[in-house]
Amino acid sequence: MTAVGGGAGLRGKVAIVTGGASGLGRATALALAKAGARVVVADLDAQGGREVAETIDGHFRACDVSDLDANRALVDFAQECYGGVDIAFLNAGVATGCGIGDDFDPARYRRAMGANLDGVVFGTHAVLPALRARGGGSIVATASLAGLAAVPLDPLYAANKHAVVGLARSLGPALAPDNVRFNAVCPGFAESRIIDHLRGMLSEQGLPVIPAELVADTVLRIATGEGTGECWFIQPGRDPEPFRFRNVPGPGRPAGV
């Protein structure tokens, strides 16, 4: 697939950003618009989403990404506004808010899985016809470093983010015949509402928070690049790059290959 390019190369391209009212979504919506794209901002936070859309001369659509019909309506809205879709940043997500032991809360669990996993699955299903109609496009999903490593303090969050990583690795090659690239971005502790309950701990331990703008720049690199099925990690003090997964041992495969 031909890369959509950076900077002015995004002029004429149409992007959807879920979870676009704040944090990583807001920063990416601003970066996409600065690069020339026309952007539809989606979020449950109508006030914040409209403010972002107005800032970038885009459009806002209220959307619960855990609802399949809402995702379909969002894509229809983008097509009505701009005639098509080229890029989808499926970013909406929430903190889990419970564990799997005595504090397990089925409602919180379903809310987290609905936003963090269903939102990516439903968003992908909904946007694929629009991308195919344009001859191809790019989907970037927000996973997390929690999708690449064990997270004993929040195993449910790790579970849905590992699922997003698995989708990216599998859908990359699966969607290649349609010229649709699917990748994931996996930041560590990045500036967003999702880390609000962790800020005290991060400050006490001297752990830096990744600027949302760095994540946004990485999303644009992914969306305008050539790779597919990649999961890009972002950590302070390191250049973002695709994570190198070790091959699973199989019949006839030497150990460590």
Side-chain angles (χ1 to χ4, degrees), residues 106-255:
R108 288 180 179 271
Y109 167 72
R110 290 296 178 194
R111 176 175 178 266
M113 296 300 284
N116 298 349
L117 178 55
D118 293 348
V120 176
V121 174
F122 292 166
T124 300
H125 173 77
V127 80
L128 273 177
L131 297 179
R132 287 169 175 150
R134 300 278 265 199
S138 177
I139 301 171
V140 181
T142 297
S144 168
L145 209 66
L148 300 174
V151 188
L153 294 178
D154 197 343
L156 297 177
Y157 187 77
N160 55 55
K161 292 304 184 179
H162 270 73
V164 174
V165 165
L167 276 173
R169 298 183 69 194
S170 303
L171 284 177
L175 298 177
D178 293 321
N179 263 357
V180 174
R181 295 181 299 106
F182 191 108
N183 297 284
V185 62
C186 303
F189 297 113
E191 184 58 54
S192 66
R193 291 176 180 172
I194 211 165
I195 68 163
D196 283 348
H197 68 295
L198 299 172
R199 291 184 188 276
M201 179 271 289
L202 295 175
S203 177
E204 289 174 5
Q205 296 188 13
L207 296 174
V209 175
I210 300 165
E213 291 75 18
L214 175 58
V215 179
D217 289 345
T218 305
V219 172
L220 262 66
R221 285 179 63 187
I222 298 169
T224 61
E226 297 286 352
T228 192
E230 297 178 339
C231 300
W232 285 58
F233 71 84
I234 307 175
Q235 280 283 58
R238 299 189 61 170
D239 290 333
E241 64 177 298
F243 184 73
R244 306 301 178 187
F245 292 90
R246 181 177 177 178
N247 289 325
V248 176
R253 185 192 300 277

